[in-house]
Amino acid sequence: MAAVEAGTAFALQARGIRKSFGGVEVLHGVDLDADGGSVVALLGENGAGKSTLVKIIAGDYTADSGTVVVDGVEHHALDPRLARDLGVAIIMQEFQDAPTLTVAENISLGRLPGRVGLVDWAAVRQRARHILGQLEVDINPDVRVASLRVGERQIVEIARALSGEARLLILDEPTAALSHHEAEILFHFIRRLRRQGVAIVYITHRLDEVSEIADRVQVLRDGSTALLAKVTEVTRRDMIQAMIGRRMAEVARPPAPEHDIGAQPALRWIDASLTRVFESVSLDVKPGEVVALYGKLGSGAVEVAETAYGLRRLTAGRLEMDSEVVAIGSPVSAIARGVGFLPADRKAGGAFMVRSVGENVAVASWPVLARMGMIRDEVEATAYRRWRDRLSIRARNSSKQLMATLSGGNQQKVLLARWLERQSRALVLIEPTRGVDVGARGDIYAALRRLAATGMAMLVVTSDYEEAVQIADRAYVMAKGQIVAELRGDAITTTQLLEAAGG
């Protein structure tokens, strides 16, 4: 990829972009400028409209109205092919590579050189060596992508985009899964691309990266631009205020617990590490306490929680339950020790959608409820009725109602009932209100607070700062695989959480 010559720098202007889904407008006339040789950081909380905007520019979505002007030519609609021909490339959080193919093959993926149906493999390798050399990247083009580190795989995806003459590179949370060292390599790489005249839109939630890598910052909130400025002219607090807006004062704290909180932790991680995911993490959860572990994608928060349920194993440090060092190697052993778990994706990892609500409540307790190896329908029905009213599960009275027919919030309540029926002593919840409506969120928060009052230890992993404020007695903040803050009581505020998580 040759550097862009003076006077021919890439310029893209998106103007008045509007987009609706299901009759709800999610972008309200948004503008965005991307110029060759500069980096614009695009910020905003989940649902602000960042991904929708860049997917319109990349041709994945069609705007309801508005225009995209590229090098002075106006386009009312882009499709992926036209966007690519104009030099637009987008690198999403999830890898779009082919891990079983080589680096060289991935760089030419979809554009393999050759004639009459035969691939010119020498040209494939030559193209890879050329683009990697121009980018000054020391990656063997003949190794399989699956053998590369995460950061290297990301650079291969960028190399593929640039080998196709991309002039605008959109990076969506590029450091979410990278170590600090890999992130530094990526930043060096981005600076080199900027010098070569590439325009870069950099989506991130890590505020420390904005001042390090960007020239301008644009904040979206609720589908509109809340801030647009040079990076040198704004502070971190300005960016946080723009992301949060008036909602900062609207997030209420729960009342202080009136029940006793246990003196000894029910769950405790001490200098816990998982190679290339998190390092030297220490945190604890006491009986009767709701602890939030707040962190964005790639922070390591989810992986820490998964070690309590045997889904991952620590590579260093230790996990304790009731002051006893434990080695939880599987969900079965976690359940036997009294740990319950609600995954972020309840449909894929928690609920049995084609089975009844009675079965879903009773499944973890089958070894206890069975008689001579058999489970009677009435036993499952009794288990369901035991928790239906206490958790305000809104469903037909029949325990035979299929799980799939319940709303998301009621499905989540059924999964809570599962671990109450099992008499779990500790409960780990990942994004417990994801995909749940506002009313059901309140019900779930109230249920969790009531459960804590019975002495259950509760760890809530969330990327929603409002959720952490509304639910937690204490909150830990994770960023880049480490605990960066511990907040207590009324010190748990949206501003404090976002500042700590920003780096």
Side-chain angles (χ1 to χ4, degrees):
M1 182 196 71
V4 177
E5 296 179 2
T8 64
F10 177 88
L12 177 145
Q13 299 92 32
R15 293 290 180 264
I17 302 298
R18 293 182 177 272
K19 181 64 177 177
S20 298
F21 294 102
V24 177
E25 190 172 73
V26 297
L27 289 177
H28 313 303
V30 176
D31 297 344
L32 176 72
D33 290 318
D35 300 318
S38 72
V39 179
V40 55
L42 187 60
L43 309 182
E45 284 298 294
N46 293 340
K50 306 184 301 296
S51 294
T52 301
L53 176 61
V54 297
K55 285 182 178 179
I56 287 172
I57 293 172
D60 294 331
Y61 292 160
T62 300
D64 298 332
S65 62
T67 60
V68 177
V69 181
V70 181
D71 292 337
V73 179
E74 188 174 281
H75 303 271
H76 292 280
L78 298 177
D79 56 47
R81 180 182 292 276
L82 176 57
R84 186 179 65 216
D85 290 345
L86 292 172
V88 178
I90 184 168
I91 310 296
M92 303 302 293
Q93 294 179 37
E94 297 81 15
F95 289 131
Q96 305 294 314
D97 58 17
T100 60
L101 300 182
T102 67
V103 168
E105 290 166 338
N106 269 272
I107 288 175
S108 289
L109 205 59
R111 299 175 297 104
L112 291 170
R115 296 177 61 186
V116 294
L118 297 177
V119 176
D120 185 343
W121 294 110
V124 169
R125 287 187 289 272
Q126 182 178 0
R127 175 188 286 172
R129 285 192 295 269
H130 176 69
I131 187 67
L132 292 173
Q134 282 197 317
L135 298 175
E136 301 176 25
V137 176
D138 185 19
I139 298 176
N140 184 346
D142 296 321
V143 302
R144 294 191 185 280
V145 164
S147 68
L148 299 178
R149 296 191 299 272
V150 174
E152 291 173 327
R153 288 180 66 178
Q154 193 162 60
I155 288 174
V156 169
E157 288 216 26
I158 294 172
R160 180 170 73 239
L162 296 176
S163 73
E165 302 302 323
R167 299 187 295 157
L168 167 61
L169 194 60
I170 301 170
L171 300 173
D172 188 5
E173 301 282 5
T175 61
L178 301 188
S179 68
H180 177 72
H181 176 66
E182 289 173 326
E184 287 298 323
I185 293 173
L186 179 65
F187 294 154
H188 181 65
F189 185 62
I190 289 172
R191 294 185 190 101
R192 188 181 305 127
L193 295 178
R194 179 170 54 188
R195 290 194 299 269
Q196 293 177 348
V198 177
I200 297 172
V201 175
Y202 188 94
I203 300 175
T204 185
H205 62 262
R206 293 176 172 169
L207 302 184
D208 57 328
E209 296 180 351
V210 176
S211 59
E212 184 165 356
I213 201 66
D215 303 295
R216 292 178 294 117
V217 58
Q218 180 166 345
V219 178
L220 297 187
R221 185 177 73 244
D222 298 331
S224 298
T225 297
L227 175 70
L228 178 60
K230 294 180 179 179
V231 169
T232 55
E233 297 175 350
V234 292
T235 65
R236 176 179 298 202
R237 184 60 62 93
D238 294 332
M239 291 184 278
I240 291 173
Q241 180 64 53
M243 286 191 287
I244 300 174
R246 294 187 301 273
R247 291 180 296 168
M248 186 187 309
E250 298 171 2
V251 184
R253 292 280 302 137
E258 298 180 356
H259 59 275
D260 292 333
I261 292 177
Q264 297 299 319
L267 280 172
R268 187 182 186 192
W269 287 260
I270 302 174
D271 293 328
S273 298
L274 181 61
T275 302
R276 295 172 61 187
V277 180
F278 58 83
E279 183 178 4
S280 300
V281 167
S282 294
L283 65 93
D284 61 77
V285 189
K286 297 180 176 68
E289 186 179 37
V290 179
V291 172
L293 182 56
Y294 173 75
K296 297 296 187 179
L297 175 69
S299 67
V302 169
E303 291 82 358
V304 168
E306 288 177 340
T307 63
Y309 197 61
L311 297 175
R312 297 177 186 268
R313 293 194 181 193
L314 297 177
T315 52
R318 63 186 189 272
L319 172 64
E320 293 182 353
M321 293 191 66
D322 300 320
S323 301
E324 176 189 351
V325 177
V326 295
I328 298 178
S330 69
V332 172
S333 62
I335 293 170
R337 288 186 173 274
V339 179
F341 184 79
L342 270 70
D345 187 345
R346 59 181 171 270
K347 293 182 179 180
F352 299 100
M353 302 301 290
V354 298
R355 310 302 296 181
S356 70
V357 292
E359 289 173 295
N360 271 275
V361 170
V363 62
S365 302
W366 277 350
V368 178
L369 299 175
R371 294 294 179 268
M372 300 181 68
M374 302 291 289
I375 299 288
R376 293 185 296 112
D377 289 348
E378 182 55 33
V379 171
E380 293 179 333
T382 300
Y384 167 65
R385 289 194 295 267
R386 192 168 11 251
W387 305 108
R388 179 191 59 209
D389 294 336
R390 297 187 203 184
L391 295 177
S392 302
I393 300 172
R394 294 180 178 90
R396 298 193 301 268
N397 287 333
S398 172
S399 62
K400 292 187 175 298
Q401 182 175 352
L402 290 183
M403 187 72 160
T405 64
L406 270 60
S407 68
N410 285 296
Q411 290 172 3
Q412 202 74 321
K413 294 175 189 177
V414 169
L415 297 184
L416 283 175
R418 173 187 298 172
W419 301 115
L420 294 175
E421 181 65 22
R422 177 68 192 188
Q423 299 183 351
S424 300
R425 295 180 295 114
L427 186 57
V428 178
L429 308 96
I430 314 292
E431 306 286 2
T433 59
R434 176 179 289 172
V436 171
D437 63 54
V438 174
R441 279 185 173 218
D443 288 346
I444 291 172
Y445 294 157
L448 295 181
R449 300 295 306 178
R450 289 196 302 270
L451 296 179
T454 68
M456 183 179 284
M458 314 197 73
L459 178 65
V460 179
V461 179
T462 181
S463 60
D464 184 336
Y465 57 82
E466 292 187 351
E467 184 159 87
V469 171
Q470 293 178 78
I471 195 66
D473 301 308
R474 282 191 300 131
Y476 293 93
V477 181
M478 279 198 76
K480 301 180 182 178
Q482 295 183 322
I483 299 287
V484 295
E486 179 183 358
L487 307 173
R488 297 173 181 269
D490 290 339
I492 305 172
T493 66
T494 54
T495 301
Q496 293 277 30
L497 291 167
L498 284 170
E499 282 193 337

